[in-house]
């Protein structure tokens, strides 16, 4: 105990280490964004986002990645809609119709937690074999189904957390007014509305960024898809393909495409942030 | 009145049906993976598949050891980097930082979670790989391309920051103020309190966070594939190329389906991932649920 100054010194060193770790972790985000911005900006042109690939695009000739941007938006949009249509009823069911703490509610919640962690490559592999079995070629539909499976756990988990914040009183009041459970569920959905959109955005963000799941199931095409059964380009896959090219111009386009994707993701993040702070206000 | 009850019943049954359907899908995925990898398991004993290191599908040799060890290497490197950093930073944010700093840093860390894997891969190729090639490897007197398990581990470390940080911060926040007050009042410094009280009390939660991060790292495909070099050999050092299991599936699926058993071998790889990740996730969720229970 005598060497109090030594102990205080230790405290100082530890604090410094902690601050450094914090800076490193936060800094890594800026390092990633900075790298992509620095490399991508010089290659960014209006052509990139306004045109589909022209002949010789992959040899460095003119064109853009509009096909991949639109393809990704279609894919993520459709999957998010489907995942919502399936996810909301499941979350409602687990909260309104099943009594809390019963085996089925605990088991299902655990299962969705676990499902959330299953990597997309597993979904992709299984979806691919099913498609081969039925003779379906890689297409937008295949991608949508794979990504929907991937995003359902996200929707269910996020909603589950939101529904948990609803005060019991609200449930009791609706019930005492004679509402059926479905009617009371509608009130609850209204209560968590801003959060609901957060869940959708989270799912959308995950869907638009996924590669491993779409790699095998969605294929790639230079055209903007018109029907569900056409192969579709996606932005992450476009980045991946172009980056592995030996031609500098094509690599440059990969950086620019990465910048576009980063931009889309940041918009989603900002919206999510805005909505969740709105949800907090909404509740108090 | 009647119609309202009918509507209620309708919603109840259809949503129960959806839930049942989802449960069925999980079961089907599992059964499908087993069935599809059956041909490989029938012709090769499981022990051989997992322990042999020769990967030559043309000759019918399917040794998974290089891929298993590739995955283990990148995961371990990622953990060695990320776990100490995250613990220190999480403790700092909860115990030392002011609310304003905390409310600024945590959302930023969450942005990391929103960044898609492919962008991590791009960052790995543009930043991590050159740094290893030009700065770190020369320190050891090596001349390499930089595509290595080390690069994979570094990229993965950043990818698991957010999941570990958010859980650790939450866990450390639940530690009662009284415990800290007692330790401090006995004359312990703040750092001693952290070491002997906070970290001890938070241990199950920290373990859960790490296990969850491991399962995340195991399944990460594209980012690791882009920086690891992908050579099917057992890595012997930090700077050797590796070939993790998810990369194996992503690189080869859909091609070379004509080689007998190749398809089954890749499905077996997917099954392996599914079982390991399912198990790890289950474990960490059970720990976390138990921690949440008393509240």
């Amino acid at each position: 105990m005598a060497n109090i100054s030594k102990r205080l010194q230790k405290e100082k060193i530890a604090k410094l280490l902690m601050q450094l770790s914090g800076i490193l972790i936060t800094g890594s985000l800026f390092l990633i964004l900075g790298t992509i911005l620095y490399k991508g900006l010089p290659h960014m042109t209006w052509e990139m986002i306004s045109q589909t690939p022209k002949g010789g695009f992959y040899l460095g000739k003119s064109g853009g990645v509009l096909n991949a941007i639109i393809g990704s938006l279609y894919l993520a949009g459709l999957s998010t809609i489907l995942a919502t249509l399936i996810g909301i009823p499941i979350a409602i069911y687990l909260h309104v119709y099943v009594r809390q703490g019963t085996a089925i509610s605990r088991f299902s919640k655990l299962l969705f937690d676990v499902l959330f962690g299953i990597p997309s490559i597993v979904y992709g592999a299984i979806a691919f074999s099913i498609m081969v079995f039925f003779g379906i070629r890689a297409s937008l539909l295949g991608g949508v189904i794979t990504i929907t499976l991937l995003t359902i756990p996200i929707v269910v988990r996020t909603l589950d957390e939101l529904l948990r914040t609803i005060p019991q009183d609200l449930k009791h009041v609706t019930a005492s007014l004679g509402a059926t459970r479905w009617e009371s569920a509608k009130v609850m959905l209204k209560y968590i509305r801003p959060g609901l959109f957060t869940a959708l955005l989270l799912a959308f963000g995950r869907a638009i960024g996924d590669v491993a799941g779409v790699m095998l199931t969605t294929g790639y095409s230079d055209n903007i898809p018109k029907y569900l059964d056409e192969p579709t380009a996606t932005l992450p896959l476009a980045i991946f393909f172009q980056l592995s090219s030996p031609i500098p111009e094509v690599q440059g386009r990969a950086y620019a495409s990465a910048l576009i994707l980063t931009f889309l993701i940041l918009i989603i993040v900002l919206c999510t942030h805005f909505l969740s702070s709105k949800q907090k206000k909404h509740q108090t | 009145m009647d119609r309202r009850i009918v509507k209620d019943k309708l919603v109840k049954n259809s949503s129960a049906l959806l839930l049942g359907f989802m449960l069925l899908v999980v079961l089907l995925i599992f059964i499908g993976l087993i069935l599809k990898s059956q041909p490989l398991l029938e012709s090769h004993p499981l022990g051989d598949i997992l322990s042999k290191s020769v990967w030559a599908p043309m000759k019918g040799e399917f040794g998974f050891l290089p891929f298993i060890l590739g995955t283990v290497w990148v995961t371990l490197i990622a953990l060695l980097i990320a776990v100490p950093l995250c613990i220190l930073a999480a403790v700092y944010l909860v115990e030392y930082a002011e609310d304003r700093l905390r409310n600024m840093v945590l959302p930023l860390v969450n942005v990391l979670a929103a960044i898609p894997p492919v962008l991590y891969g791009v960052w790995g190729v543009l930043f991590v790989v050159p740094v290893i090639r030009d700065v770190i490897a020369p320190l050891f007197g090596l001349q390499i391309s930089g595509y290595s398990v080390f690069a994979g581990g570094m990229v993965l470390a950043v990818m698991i920051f957010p999941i570990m940080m958010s859980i650790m911060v939450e866990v450390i926040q639940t530690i009662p103020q009284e415990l800290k007050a007692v330790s401090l009042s006995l004359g312990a410094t703040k750092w001693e309190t952290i070491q002997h009280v906070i970290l001890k009390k938070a241990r199950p939660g920290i373990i859960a966070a790490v296990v969850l991060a491991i399962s995340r790292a195991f399944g990460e495909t594209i980012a690791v594939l882009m920086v690891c070099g992908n050579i099917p050999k057992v890595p012997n050092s930090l700077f050797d190329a590796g070939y993790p299991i998810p990369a194996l599936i992503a690189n080869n699926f859909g091609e070379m389906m004509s080689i007998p058993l190749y398809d089954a071998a890749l499905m077996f790889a997917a099954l392996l991932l599914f079982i390991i990740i399912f198990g790890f996730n289950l474990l960490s969720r059970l720990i976390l649920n138990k921690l949440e229970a008393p509240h």
Side-chain angles (χ1 to χ4, degrees):
Chain A
M1 282 298 160
N3 45 9
I4 184 85
S5 64
K6 204 173 176 187
R7 288 167 62 206
L8 284 176
Q9 198 132 38
K10 242 188 200 165
E11 156 107 24
K12 258 190 201 145
I13 296 172
K15 196 173 168 188
L16 193 73
L17 277 176
M18 286 191 254
Q19 280 166 334
L20 268 178
S21 321
I23 292 171
L24 260 174
I25 290 176
T26 329
S28 61
L29 171 67
F30 294 103
L31 198 59
I32 293 172
L33 296 180
T35 309
I36 292 172
L37 196 67
Y38 174 73
K39 287 277 189 175
L41 213 50
H43 298 277
M44 197 62 210
T45 55
W46 178 242
E47 234 190 343
M48 279 296 294
I49 49 172
S50 63
Q51 286 185 15
T52 55
K54 299 272 171 342
F57 178 70
Y58 300 100
L59 299 169
K61 298 241 177 68
S62 68
V65 289
L66 184 67
N67 59 328
I69 299 174
I70 302 284
S72 269
L73 290 176
Y74 278 170
L75 179 75
L78 286 173
S79 314
T80 309
I81 293 171
L82 275 178
T84 317
L85 290 180
I86 300 170
I88 292 183
I90 291 179
I92 288 287
Y93 182 76
L94 288 176
H95 265 270
V96 181
Y97 289 100
V98 179
R99 212 178 305 147
Q100 298 303 298
T102 51
I104 176 153
S105 108
R106 272 186 309 173
F107 173 74
S108 318
K109 281 177 193 170
L110 187 67
L111 188 87
F112 280 106
D113 275 343
V114 173
L115 270 187
F116 180 64
I118 298 293
S120 54
I121 185 80
V122 172
Y123 290 109
I126 197 86
F128 178 77
S129 348
I130 292 171
M131 286 163 69
V132 169
F133 185 77
F134 287 108
I136 310 169
R137 64 175 180 157
S139 61
L140 184 56
L141 184 67
V144 167
I145 292 171
T146 314
I147 301 298
T148 303
L149 284 179
L150 192 72
T151 43
I152 288 174
I154 303 177
V155 175
V156 174
R157 278 189 77 225
T158 322
L159 287 184
D160 179 58
E161 258 159 44
L162 283 166
L163 287 167
R164 230 182 273 175
T165 65
I166 293 179
Q168 285 292 318
D169 299 357
L170 188 68
K171 283 187 213 174
H172 297 157
V173 167
T174 50
S176 71
L177 287 172
T180 62
R181 281 173 297 185
W182 166 234
E183 284 156 353
S184 120
K186 280 196 280 191
V187 175
M188 287 160 77
L189 279 178
K190 209 169 234 168
Y191 184 83
I192 59 163
R193 192 154 52 188
L196 199 67
F197 287 107
T198 316
L200 298 195
L201 281 172
L202 280 177
F204 189 81
R206 177 87 189 263
I208 207 169
D210 189 75
V211 189
V214 297
M215 202 167 194
L216 307 168
T217 53
T218 320
Y220 201 86
S221 151
D222 282 353
N223 303 316
I224 294 168
K226 290 196 190 68
Y227 302 101
L228 276 175
D229 63 345
E230 288 177 22
T232 304
T234 45
L235 199 48
L237 211 52
I239 299 171
F240 180 66
F241 282 155
Q242 294 176 102
L243 197 67
S244 50
S245 157
I247 302 164
E249 283 86 18
V250 181
Q251 281 187 6
R253 289 216 188 97
Y255 309 153
S257 311
L259 190 59
I260 299 171
L261 183 58
T262 312
F263 191 67
L264 285 175
I265 294 291
L266 287 182
I267 294 178
I268 294 170
V269 168
L270 278 180
C271 292
T272 319
H273 195 74
F274 172 72
L275 281 173
S276 48
S277 54
K278 202 168 160 194
Q279 172 79 32
K280 267 183 209 136
K281 262 187 226 146
H282 196 67
Q283 276 172 358
T284 45
Chain B
M1 190 64 198
D2 228 357
R3 196 191 284 168
R4 287 172 57 210
I5 289 178
V6 169
K7 220 180 196 174
D8 184 61
K9 284 255 158 67
L10 202 69
V11 172
K12 178 181 178 181
N13 291 332
S14 51
S15 47
L17 207 68
L18 281 175
L19 176 66
F21 174 72
M22 273 307 287
L23 301 184
L24 199 68
V25 166
V26 182
L27 203 66
L28 283 180
I29 290 181
F30 185 58
I31 294 173
L33 287 174
I34 291 180
L35 283 181
K36 287 290 247 174
S37 47
Q38 202 61 38
L40 180 74
L41 293 169
E42 270 168 9
S43 56
H44 297 62
L46 184 63
D48 276 9
I49 302 175
L50 294 179
S51 67
K52 284 210 168 141
S53 59
V54 181
W55 179 260
M58 305 288 270
K59 292 185 203 141
E61 290 189 69
F62 296 96
F64 270 84
L65 197 63
F67 306 103
I68 295 173
L69 287 180
T71 296
V72 170
W73 267 87
V74 288
T75 307
L76 277 183
I77 296 168
L79 289 179
L80 282 178
I81 300 172
V83 171
L85 286 179
C86 284
I87 292 179
L88 286 170
V91 170
Y92 184 80
L93 282 183
V94 179
E95 295 302 322
Y96 290 91
E98 287 167 28
D99 285 353
R100 240 184 42 168
L101 183 68
R102 184 162 55 233
N103 291 336
M104 208 175 70
V105 171
L106 284 179
L108 283 179
V109 173
N110 280 332
V111 177
L112 276 178
I115 294 180
V118 71
L119 294 180
Y120 280 99
V122 171
W123 174 67
V125 171
L126 293 178
F127 183 83
V128 178
V129 169
V131 164
I132 289 178
R133 182 185 57 215
D134 301 331
V135 181
I136 300 179
L139 287 180
F140 295 87
L142 290 168
Q143 271 202 320
I144 50 159
S145 66
Y147 291 90
S148 55
V149 285
F150 191 30
M154 279 214 323
V155 171
L156 263 185
V158 180
M159 294 184 82
I160 57 177
F161 280 160
I163 192 163
M164 285 214 280
M165 279 292 280
S166 56
I167 295 176
M168 285 179 185
V169 165
E170 237 166 71
V171 168
I172 296 172
Q173 269 173 338
T174 60
I175 295 170
Q177 198 61 44
E178 290 85 356
L179 281 179
K180 298 177 218 166
V182 166
S183 165
L184 289 171
S185 69
L186 286 172
T189 62
K190 200 152 185 184
W191 173 239
E192 285 160 352
T193 308
I194 289 169
Q195 275 179 302
H196 301 296
V197 178
I198 296 180
L199 289 184
K200 205 167 263 175
K201 192 83 180 127
R203 195 182 293 159
I206 291 177
I207 291 174
V210 172
V211 174
L212 212 56
I214 293 177
S215 68
R216 177 81 200 276
F218 260 51
E220 183 39 54
T221 311
I222 210 78
V224 178
L225 178 154
M226 286 165 83
V227 297
C228 257
N230 304 328
I231 296 169
K233 253 184 168 172
V234 177
N236 287 318
S237 88
L238 276 181
F239 300 107
D240 279 355
Y243 205 157
I245 304 172
L248 170 74
I249 307 174
N251 264 345
N252 298 300
F253 222 94
E255 295 160 23
M256 298 191 266
M257 289 305 226
S258 50
I259 300 171
L261 292 182
Y262 204 163
D263 178 36
L266 293 180
M267 272 307 185
F268 177 72
L271 180 66
L272 213 57
L273 276 183
F274 186 82
I275 292 174
I276 293 173
I277 292 172
F278 201 97
F280 274 37
N281 256 301
L282 197 63
L283 181 69
S284 68
R285 288 297 170 189
L286 286 175
I287 300 175
L288 286 173
N289 283 355
K290 212 170 172 189
L291 288 178
E292 265 176 29
H295 297 286

